[in-house]
């Protein structure tokens, strides 16, 4: 039986997560009606949590991480998909309850797949990945709530990371004046190239959270959570909207109701795991048409599958900026 390469996660006798580069066989694949040859994946913060075990992301052992996939269909019992089709898969529990994309082969449900736009290469699709899907959905929430760049500037927290960098780029493309918040001053020039009008450190968000602080932004896209998001909420202008899509600093929210009842602020969450398929297709096609490919390439680096474990460990320690694509096969 032919084997294939994969990154494998398991637990030792003390319940600690162990990650290794290994081999699987067809019999190891999980249930599904479509078989994929994975071409590329990405390193996301959630993958870092899975590899390090810092949060209980993984729900099934052993596991293959990788919540983003660009692949070619090699076999299908689903009439919607034929061998040779180029597809994207994000969410749906891959890398958590279903073997993920850091593997040369996968077997999945055809319901989870979206056709990869022909104008997006596998690397570009994975440079966007779940991060791009999340930001695009967040931007749509701002649109639906009636906010535009004319309402004032927008703040992006955790701006040097994958989601944050894409948020800076896509918001700037739409004409927003973007304040990028990062604890890494060495990333200032890169964030400015992505379109940030202003790059600031974390100092304005230190200390106890005030019920209300000086009004600064009309909108926010927060990837950090915890006290950072609470500070941001206190600084939004009346009618402002904060999009919450990350928890790099924790799951808690030590906030006051004051911004909501005295300034009419809204807090909107984005869950990229269970976005309906039709909605995903719409977002992917829009990103393929609108994304600035030069800026996307400038914020992306490509690594091989054996290097993914180290990258996953580094991302949770804040050691990776922008987006990291994993070339599972030769691209």
């Amino acid at each position: 039986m032919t084997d294939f390469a994969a990154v494998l996660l398991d637990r030792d006798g003390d319940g600690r997560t162990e990650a290794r580069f290994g081999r699987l066989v067809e019999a190891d694949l999980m249930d599904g009606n479509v078989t994929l040859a994975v071409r590329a994946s990405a390193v996301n913060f959630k993958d870092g949590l899975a590899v390090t075990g810092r949060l209980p992301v993984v729900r099934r052992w052993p596991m293959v991480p990788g919540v983003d996939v660009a692949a070619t269909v090699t076999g299908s019992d689903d009439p919607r998909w034929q061998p040779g089709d180029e597809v994207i898969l994000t969410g749906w529990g891959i890398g958590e309850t279903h073997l993920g994309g850091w593997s040369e082969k996968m077997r999945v449900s055809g319901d989870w797949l979206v056709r990869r736009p022909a104008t997006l290469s596998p690397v570009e699709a994975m440079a966007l990945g779940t991060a791009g899907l999340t930001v695009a959905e967040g931007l749509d929430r701002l649109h639906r709530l009636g906010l535009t760049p004319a309402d004032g500037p927008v703040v992006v927290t955790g701006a040097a990371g994958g989601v944050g960098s894409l948020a800076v780029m896509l918001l700037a493309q739409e004409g927003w004046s973007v304040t990028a918040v990062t604890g890494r001053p060495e990333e200032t020039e890169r964030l400015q190239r992505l379109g940030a009008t202003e790059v600031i450190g974390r100092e304005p968000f230190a200390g106890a959270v005030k019920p209300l602080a000086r009004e600064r932004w009309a909108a926010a896209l927060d990837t950090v959570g915890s006290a950072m998001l609470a500070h941001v909420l206190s600084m939004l202008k009346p009618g402002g909207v904060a999009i919450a899509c990350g928890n790099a600093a924790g799951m808690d929210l030590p906030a006051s109701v004051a911004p909501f009842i005295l300034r009419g602020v809204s807090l909107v969450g984005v869950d990229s795991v269970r976005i309906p398929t039709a909605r995903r297709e719409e977002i992917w096609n829009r990103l393929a048409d609108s994304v600035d490919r030069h800026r996307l390439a400038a914020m992306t680096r490509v690594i091989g599958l054996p290097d993914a474990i180290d990258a996953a460990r580094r991302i949770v320690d804040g050691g990776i900026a922008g987006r990291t694509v994993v070339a599972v096969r030769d691209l």
Side-chain angles (χ1 to χ4, degrees), residues 146-223:
L147 268 73
T148 72
D151 293 308
V154 59
V155 62
V156 176
T157 66
V163 178
S165 293
L166 282 170
V168 170
M169 182 180 77
L170 294 175
L171 284 160
Q173 280 185 204
E174 286 201 353
W176 289 86
S177 174
V178 182
T179 297
V181 181
T182 180
R184 291 182 266 179
E186 68 275 13
E187 294 297 321
T188 296
E189 185 178 344
R190 185 181 68 85
L191 290 168
Q192 290 171 334
R193 289 198 301 268
L194 289 176
T197 306
E198 178 185 32
V199 180
I200 63 175
R202 298 170 182 161
E203 293 79 15
F205 312 95
V209 179
K210 297 178 180 178
L212 291 174
R214 180 171 67 88
E215 300 170 10
R216 298 192 62 172
W217 300 288
L221 192 143
D222 175 70
T223 73

Side-chain angles (χ1 to χ4, degrees), residues 260-309:
F260 306 106
I261 63 175
L262 298 179
R263 290 183 182 166
V265 163
S266 298
L267 175 59
V268 179
V270 173
D271 170 22
S272 59
V273 174
R274 289 177 289 271
I275 296 175
T277 300
R279 177 81 181 129
R280 292 171 187 266
E281 291 173 346
E282 178 187 336
I283 292 174
W284 278 111
N285 287 324
R286 182 157 22 94
L287 285 171
D289 290 340
S290 64
V291 70
D292 185 324
R293 284 169 165 74
H294 295 294
R295 283 180 171 175
L296 185 64
M299 61 177 286
T300 303
R301 75 179 182 117
V302 181
I303 63 172
L305 186 57
D307 299 318
I309 295 173

Side-chain angles (χ1 to χ4, degrees), residues 65-122:
V67 301
D68 288 342
V69 176
T72 304
V73 174
T74 57
S76 176
D77 294 325
D78 185 325
R80 294 170 294 180
W81 304 106
Q82 304 298 321
D85 286 345
E86 298 293 336
V87 297
I88 296 171
L89 169 56
T90 63
W92 302 111
I94 63 169
E96 300 175 67
T97 59
H98 193 98
L99 299 183
W102 293 6
S103 169
E104 291 181 326
K105 292 185 180 181
M106 296 179 73
R107 187 179 296 122
V108 302
S109 168
D111 292 339
W112 301 347
L113 302 175
V114 173
R115 201 171 302 276
R116 174 166 60 83
T119 54
L120 277 183
S121 71

